[in-house]
Amino acid sequence: MPAPVAPSPRRIRTTRTSLAVPLTLVVVAGAVGGAVAATAPEQARTWVVTTVVVAWVCVAVAVVSCALALGRGRRGTAKAAEDTRTAQAQLARTGADSAHLVNVTLPAVVKRVREGAGAEETLAATPPPSDLQLRRALEMFVVELADAEGRAARAVVERDGALGR
């Protein structure tokens, strides 16, 4: 049986953004906040500095949270893509195993049973599929086919006996 080839993965477009962009955003926000605090009037400077610091902390938390979430999302996407490739390869193996069973194994089994081989002998001489369900289907098919062939042979004997009487 030919070995199935794993499907070639589709190229997933990845844009790698380093932490430079989020860090630059945080630094720029801090610099702008510092400039605003430095140019604020003396009476409002405390309030402006407090507002700028709180706003800068909020921006920093938002940027870091988004960067971390983006990283988790990318890792999840890579894992999902790997799982998809694994499932596709398994599906290809199962399809090849099924095709081999239908196109090669079952016709050989029918020929062997019709030539007079029993179910156990036929199963022993036939390489089983790797999939457990296909193996069970093959075993059931061989047993039922051998039983049907036996009934047909007994019916012919009974018919010939009835004709002879």
Side-chain angles (χ1 to χ4, degrees), residues 42-88:
E42 189 65 37
Q43 308 88 325
R45 188 161 294 163
T46 305
W47 180 83
V48 170
V49 169
T50 304
T51 304
V52 166
V53 168
V54 169
W56 181 82
V57 168
C58 290
V59 167
V61 167
V63 167
V64 169
S65 297
C66 289
L68 293 175
L70 184 62
R72 279 193 305 269
R74 284 189 179 140
R75 286 188 298 277
T77 300
K79 173 88 170 86
E82 179 62 30
D83 291 346
T84 299
R85 284 191 294 275
T86 302
Q88 286 173 337

Side-chain angles (χ1 to χ4, degrees), residues 135-158:
R135 189 177 304 150
R136 287 181 186 160
L138 175 65
E139 290 169 359
M140 192 179 337
F141 178 78
V142 169
V143 168
E144 290 297 322
L145 183 63
D147 185 46
E149 285 294 318
R151 282 194 310 259
R154 285 190 301 276
V156 168
V157 169
E158 288 177 9

Side-chain angles (χ1 to χ4, degrees), residues 3-154:
V5 176
S8 60
R10 290 185 178 169
R11 182 172 280 275
I12 298 172
R13 199 182 290 170
T14 57
T15 55
R16 289 286 185 202
T17 56
S18 66
L19 289 177
V21 173
L23 290 179
T24 303
L25 179 62
V26 171
V27 169
V28 167
V32 169
V36 167
T39 59
E42 189 65 37
Q43 308 88 325
R45 188 161 294 163
T46 305
W47 180 83
V48 170
V49 169
T50 304
T51 304
V52 166
V53 168
V54 169
W56 181 82
V57 168
C58 290
V59 167
V61 167
V63 167
V64 169
S65 297
C66 289
L68 293 175
L70 184 62
R72 279 193 305 269
R74 284 189 179 140
R75 286 188 298 277
T77 300
K79 173 88 170 86
E82 179 62 30
D83 291 346
T84 299
R85 284 191 294 275
T86 302
Q88 286 173 337
Q90 183 178 1
L91 181 62
R93 284 190 302 274
T94 302
D97 209 11
S98 299
H100 185 267
L101 177 71
V102 169
N103 296 325
V104 177
T105 306
L106 291 181
V109 163
V110 168
K111 181 180 178 197
R112 184 177 294 255
V113 169
R114 288 200 172 146
E115 290 174 351
E120 293 80 22
E121 178 186 343
T122 302
L123 284 172
T126 305
S130 59
D131 186 49
L132 183 61
Q133 286 80 16
L134 292 177
R135 189 177 304 150
R136 287 181 186 160
L138 175 65
E139 290 169 359
M140 192 179 337
F141 178 78
V142 169
V143 168
E144 290 297 322
L145 183 63
D147 185 46
E149 285 294 318
R151 282 194 310 259
R154 285 190 301 276

